[in-house]
Amino acid sequence: MALLLCNARIQLTDTLEQMQQGTLMRKVKSKSWKKQRFFKLQDDCMTIWYQSKRTGKTESAFSISDVETVREGHQSEVLQSLAEEFPPERCFTIVFYGRRGNLDLIAGSAEEAQCWVQGLRQLIEKADKNKDGRMNFKEVQRLLKMMNVDMNEDHALRLFQDADKSESGTLEGEEFVLFYKALTQREEVLSLFQEFSEDGKKLTLLELVDFLRQEQLEDEGTEEMAMELIDKYEPSETARARHVLSADGFLMYLCSPEGSIFNPQHRALWQDMNQPLCHYFISSSHNTYLIEDQLRGQSSIEGYIRALKRGCRCLEVDCWDGPNGEPMVYHGHTFTSKIPFREVVSTLGKYAFKASDYPVILSLENHCSMEQQEVLAQQLKDILGEQLLTTTIDGHVPSHLPSPEELKHKILLKGKKIGRLEDTLDGPGDEVPDVSDDDNGAEAEEERRRAKKDKETLAQALSDCVIYCKNVSFRGFQEARSHSRPSEISSLSEAKARKLIRDAGNEFVRHNAWQLTRIYPSGMRTDSSNYSPQEMWNAGCQIVALNFQTAGTEMDLCDGLFSQNGCCGYVLKPPFMRDEETLFNPSDPSSREGPGPITLTIQVISGQQLPKVANSKDGAIIDPLVRVEIHGVPADQAHQETKYIENNGFNPRWDETLQFQLHVPELALVRFVVEDYDKTSRNDFVGQFTLAFANIKPGYRHIHLLSKDGTSIPPSSLFVHIRITEPPGPEQD
């Protein structure tokens, strides 16, 4: 709240005034892409617009709250490459939170660069500090508009006058707190509080226990939990001492992690990490080095840093011969820029285990000559050292894949390998039958032929780095079952995977119970768009590679699935997908043994301080609606939405109930989307939150919304009531 107050009262310095007049600077994407853009700070001191000098068209805008930091000088790959052309004092980089690419800029002079660097830092700092000041009614109205509140002027004036205890015509300190409390009065929470409170003023310990049991369906240790909640969220010391919860404390609890729709216990590592790798869904990125599109986008180690920071555990690297014997990484036969393989490996070594301790798979697309393949192997070993897995964990041929727990802090290379894993091990190879034992020996002959061909095109040193993830062509489930090994992996295009799901869904699920499968986007997706990962997860595919740089529903689903289990990048598949004899077929929900469908009932009650639509020029108040989407097996795919509320992004009330049937709840993801209704064109995105059905807590819950690129946008939330109804069990005699 004080943050909002401070934003409304930013004192304009010369620097900010200069930024408001606007500055012509070069926006740089590569050595050859340097275009002039006119940058301008808007009157709200929170938004920066920039437009093309040539066309005068506004190209984009960003909010100060999107900016993580400002780096001076040549502190990005692009600006480093231009070091000889432009001095460091004219260069700076704006780094954003989330998925948005950095903005590299070159000012016309060192003074202009300084003005923007200092000004941006000042604004970021102001957005971080809680400074109080005085506000008159006009400033309060401006603040309300910034906060997406379209309030009747008389009503706002009445609240203002009630809060202005000193009758000075301005609000300060405590007065502003009073005004804000009156403004944010949550009637729906108050009436819920009064329902359980005998005197309407407080919840006793037992009344709170009743609420937790009856509504929140908390059944274990509820008295201890109630005590903890009072200690943690009750603002009044007296009430805390008496073990009671005031209406303020009750609201604070409901807005806290304990009152969230996401089960807080599932935020931590809560799954068994000792099963074979193929029993997990693994967070996976495609063309990780790209931070824009597939044809002329920029290749950058920033792509690897971002993916690894988000818990991604399978990264892709495309290697090609480079100058001076140095292999390079880029998207072949396109205009994308290039980065040395050495830099990618150093970045991997540095960031691999910052967000998660569990293994990282490096998917190598090798287009290099024999000489440069030797360099690849050498660089992997020299730079990664102990982190690179170069032998099986026990020195024996595996009869099944090791677990994430056994492979902690290890980097696994996925690529081609000469011959079989047992050929490179000293240990006994009797766990896997030799193909030459076959009746006619034709398979053995074929295997020898393939090994000979690989030997001609693959450097032995690089082959030796591939242990548990040997790339093999997929030649049908029958052949895989007869001849493949757990340490082999096939990569399939999205189209091929879809066909297999359609034609042989159950066989695909069984195959994925003992061997890894990687799915990658169609080559036609030159704009780096994504396919839906859900249909691939439905078949048990573990490595479903997405373009992490592209925001949208598909990445929301990916973020939603992997936001559980300590964000470690591994999520255990349901039991019926880990059984090699399973009957489950995603297109036939009745093939999953167990009770019938469960019913998910969601009452969408209200919204709180929803953000304005990005790039909305006139700063219009939104007309919000809520859409709930179920992503799961085909029979569960569904969506429903509420009506829209006119002109209220601050505290809209819907009070509408939506209901869904889930046949395979273990695979379902639930996505809540808020949109700004538009009768003439497509609705605009406002915020979203996605989570696996398994992580939902029933009862009265807040949903803390995320922006388009997956970053949080406090204090924006939805208030809902969730009920999950299991089907009745078999009748008792």
Side-chain angles (χ1 to χ4, degrees):
M1 176 212 70
L3 161 70
L4 295 162
L5 172 60
C6 100
N7 284 347
R9 297 198 49 81
I10 284 178
Q11 300 300 308
L12 282 186
T13 61
D14 293 347
T15 306
L16 298 185
E17 278 180 5
Q18 209 172 320
M19 288 166 74
Q20 284 191 340
Q21 285 159 16
T23 311
L24 199 56
M25 294 189 272
R26 287 172 201 258
K27 178 183 170 187
V28 192
K29 286 189 181 179
S30 68
K31 262 186 134 165
S32 56
W33 200 102
K34 304 186 281 276
K35 302 206 174 163
Q36 292 209 307
R37 296 288 182 263
F38 188 68
F39 286 78
K40 189 171 185 294
L41 174 66
Q42 298 301 292
D43 291 345
D44 62 1
C45 284
M46 278 303 285
T47 318
I48 287 165
W49 287 87
Y50 55 96
Q51 52 191 190
S52 162
K53 175 170 187 282
R54 195 171 52 78
T55 62
K57 266 183 33 202
T58 296
E59 189 176 285
S60 191
F62 61 86
S63 164
I64 294 298
S65 56
D66 296 333
V67 180
E68 186 175 351
T69 187
V70 185
R71 298 178 188 157
E72 288 182 78
H74 300 142
Q75 286 203 57
S76 76
E77 288 159 287
V78 178
L79 291 174
Q80 274 165 20
S81 71
L82 294 165
E84 289 174 21
E85 207 178 327
F86 298 100
E89 54 273 16
R90 282 174 55 194
C91 303
F92 63 99
T93 302
I94 299 175
V95 180
F96 296 97
Y97 290 107
R99 214 173 274 127
R100 185 171 184 154
N102 296 351
L103 196 53
D104 288 313
L105 299 174
I106 301 170
S109 67
E111 293 72 38
E112 282 179 351
Q114 257 323 292
C115 165
W116 278 83
V117 167
Q118 296 307 328
L120 285 164
R121 285 179 179 163
Q122 187 185 336
L123 291 169
I124 295 167
E125 193 186 338
K126 275 204 162 37
D128 282 347
K129 274 193 183 157
N130 291 342
K131 283 189 180 158
D132 284 358
R134 293 173 172 276
M135 296 184 79
N136 60 33
F137 183 60
K138 205 152 196 58
E139 287 176 314
V140 164
Q141 278 183 299
R142 198 176 314 134
L143 174 64
L144 293 184
K145 195 149 171 65
M146 273 169 61
M147 288 160 69
N148 218 347
V149 187
D150 188 20
M151 192 173 274
N152 170 296
E153 195 169 324
D154 296 340
H155 181 58
L157 185 59
R158 220 173 17 255
L159 291 180
F160 182 92
Q161 287 166 341
D162 288 348
D164 180 15
K165 301 292 181 197
S166 60
E167 298 182 2
S168 62
T170 60
L171 303 182
E172 60 177 321
E174 278 305 306
E175 293 177 335
F176 189 84
V177 174
L178 272 177
F179 168 73
Y180 188 79
K181 272 183 116 170
L183 190 64
T184 52
Q185 185 74 55
R186 298 274 303 274
E187 292 301 332
E188 73 280 28
V189 173
L190 201 56
S191 59
L192 178 62
F193 174 81
Q194 286 166 346
E195 211 178 298
F196 282 84
S197 158
E198 198 179 325
D199 65 1
K201 295 192 180 74
K202 63 180 183 304
L203 286 177
T204 63
L205 189 63
L206 288 178
E207 286 169 344
L208 179 56
V209 167
D210 282 347
F211 172 75
L212 293 173
R213 281 189 187 147
Q214 289 171 36
E215 291 298 344
Q216 308 300 75
L217 304 189
E218 305 282 5
D219 45 8
E220 287 173 31
T222 5
E223 290 203 12
E224 292 85 343
M225 186 185 186
M227 284 291 289
E228 277 172 28
L229 293 176
I230 291 170
D231 282 345
K232 205 165 173 186
Y233 298 112
E234 175 50 57
S236 151
E237 269 181 57
T238 340
R240 275 204 306 277
R242 290 170 51 217
H243 303 318
V244 298
L245 195 64
S246 66
D248 280 350
F250 183 64
L251 177 60
M252 283 174 80
Y253 148 64
L254 285 176
C255 292
S256 75
E258 288 92 338
S260 157
I261 188 172
F262 200 113
N263 185 338
Q265 287 165 340
H266 289 193
R267 284 271 184 214
L269 202 65
W270 68 285
Q271 294 183 326
D272 174 8
M273 300 306 285
N274 290 295
Q275 306 232 6
L277 273 189
C278 53
H279 286 182
Y280 297 84
F281 296 121
I282 302 171
S283 175
S284 308
S285 154
H286 176 246
N287 286 351
T288 316
Y289 47 88
L290 289 183
I291 52 177
E292 289 174 53
D293 69 53
Q294 315 275 318
L295 293 182
R296 44 180 61 80
Q298 186 188 340
S299 301
S300 169
I301 52 168
E302 198 77 39
Y304 290 96
I305 296 171
R306 282 183 202 165
L308 288 165
K309 275 184 168 175
R310 289 169 62 192
C312 179
R313 298 288 87 188
C314 181
L315 310 165
E316 187 184 21
V317 55
D318 269 359
C319 295
W320 300 79
D321 279 359
N324 311 321
E326 277 276 333
M328 302 299 278
V329 173
Y330 63 100
H331 202 215
H333 313 300
T334 63
F335 299 104
T336 55
S337 58
K338 304 174 182 181
I339 32 177
F341 180 70
R342 172 193 302 279
E343 281 187 27
V344 172
V345 182
S346 313
T347 303
L348 181 57
K350 197 167 158 192
Y351 289 92
F353 304 108
K354 286 214 161 142
S356 165
D357 294 335
Y358 292 105
V360 170
I361 298 168
L362 188 61
S363 181
L364 184 71
E365 290 287 324
N366 170 15
H367 307 277
C368 291
S369 61
M370 289 291 247
E371 295 75 27
Q372 294 211 9
Q373 286 182 40
E374 296 281 353
V375 179
L376 292 178
Q378 202 53 52
Q379 290 183 350
L380 282 165
K381 288 179 197 157
D382 290 351
I383 298 168
L384 297 178
E386 288 290 297
Q387 290 181 320
L388 183 68
L389 188 81
T390 50
T391 182
T392 56
I393 51 172
D394 57 3
H396 295 300
V397 179
S399 55
H400 58 78
L401 282 166
S403 69
E405 195 62 41
E406 291 171 300
L407 292 167
K408 262 185 168 177
H409 300 117
K410 288 294 178 192
I411 293 168
L412 282 58
L413 190 65
K414 172 185 142 341
K416 287 187 173 167
K417 186 171 183 67
I418 300 166
R420 304 168 306 171
L421 183 56
E422 50 266 45
D423 302 335
T424 57
L425 291 170
D426 304 323
D430 51 4
E431 286 120 6
V432 175
D434 195 308
V435 281
S436 57
D437 296 345
D438 253 67
D439 292 347
N440 56 14
E443 282 82 3
E445 189 50 50
E446 172 65 12
E447 181 111 29
R448 274 192 288 274
R449 192 186 61 74
R450 279 184 210 156
K452 186 169 180 293
K453 185 168 170 252
D454 286 341
K455 213 162 191 152
E456 289 163 9
T457 56
L458 191 58
Q460 187 68 49
L462 191 58
S463 166
D464 291 347
C465 296
V466 175
I467 308 298
Y468 290 116
C469 297
K470 174 188 173 179
N471 272 354
V472 294
S473 301
F474 179 76
R475 294 188 170 83
F477 295 120
Q478 196 47 55
E479 178 167 325
R481 185 100 28 194
S482 329
H483 304 299
S484 296
R485 296 161 179 75
S487 57
E488 294 179 343
I489 174 171
S490 298
S491 285
L492 305 170
S493 71
E494 56 173 292
K496 177 81 186 271
R498 262 190 217 104
K499 187 171 183 341
L500 291 171
I501 293 166
R502 204 170 48 242
D503 300 346
N506 172 246
E507 281 187 274
F508 207 174
V509 175
R510 286 181 174 197
H511 174 83
N512 288 325
W514 67 278
Q515 196 176 64
L516 290 168
T517 304
R518 176 175 180 269
I519 312 295
Y520 57 89
S522 142
M524 303 304 287
R525 294 181 181 275
T526 52
D527 58 351
S528 292
S529 61
N530 281 312
Y531 55 91
S532 168
Q534 185 68 48
E535 53 186 329
M536 310 305 170
W537 294 328
N538 290 342
C541 300
Q542 305 86 346
I543 300 179
V544 179
L546 296 177
N547 289 302
F548 266 47
Q549 72 273 30
T550 308
T553 307
E554 299 79 16
M555 270 315 296
D556 293 346
L557 295 176
C558 183
D559 290 345
L561 178 66
F562 292 106
S563 58
Q564 61 181 313
N565 208 28
C567 292
C568 76
Y570 286 83
V571 168
L572 190 62
K573 297 198 278 189
F576 57 84
M577 302 190 93
R578 311 196 299 257
D579 170 10
E580 290 177 38
E581 302 304 319
T582 184
L583 300 173
F584 178 69
N585 182 343
S587 58
D588 174 15
S590 65
S591 61
R592 166 188 161 269
E593 288 174 22
I598 66 163
T599 305
L600 172 64
T601 308
I602 300 168
Q603 185 194 358
V604 181
I605 303 169
S606 60
Q608 292 73 46
Q609 301 181 50
L610 304 173
K612 289 189 172 181
V613 171
N615 298 353
S616 132
K617 264 195 173 164
D618 51 1
I621 306 294
I622 62 171
D623 304 328
L625 62 84
V626 178
R627 187 171 64 255
V628 179
E629 303 168 350
I630 307 292
H631 297 262
V633 296
D636 289 346
Q637 292 284 129
H639 62 86
Q640 292 176 36
E641 59 187 42
T642 64
K643 61 183 179 296
Y644 67 92
I645 305 291
E646 262 185 75
N647 266 353
N648 188 349
F650 187 71
N651 54 3
R653 281 287 294 267
W654 291 280
D655 293 311
E656 284 189 57
T657 301
L658 314 176
Q659 200 166 68
F660 301 92
Q661 297 268 297
L662 302 182
H663 300 80
V664 188
E666 298 91 337
L667 287 172
L669 287 164
V670 185
R671 182 171 182 255
F672 295 84
V673 195
V674 181
E675 289 183 343
D676 178 16
Y677 173 76
D678 193 323
K679 59 175 172 290
T680 54
S681 61
R682 271 182 62 183
N683 293 348
D684 286 312
F685 174 90
V686 173
Q688 68 83 31
F689 187 78
T690 307
L691 77 168
F693 172 80
N695 300 323
I696 289 180
K697 289 278 276 182
Y700 285 96
R701 302 285 168 188
H702 276 95
I703 296 168
H704 300 282
L705 295 173
L706 303 175
S707 68
K708 205 180 189 98
D709 63 5
T711 51
S712 64
I713 36 176
S716 304
S717 62
L718 295 174
F719 186 48
V720 297
H721 182 268
I722 304 281
R723 195 165 71 250
I724 295 165
T725 319
E726 305 276 349
E731 287 187 29
Q732 304 296 311
D733 289 338

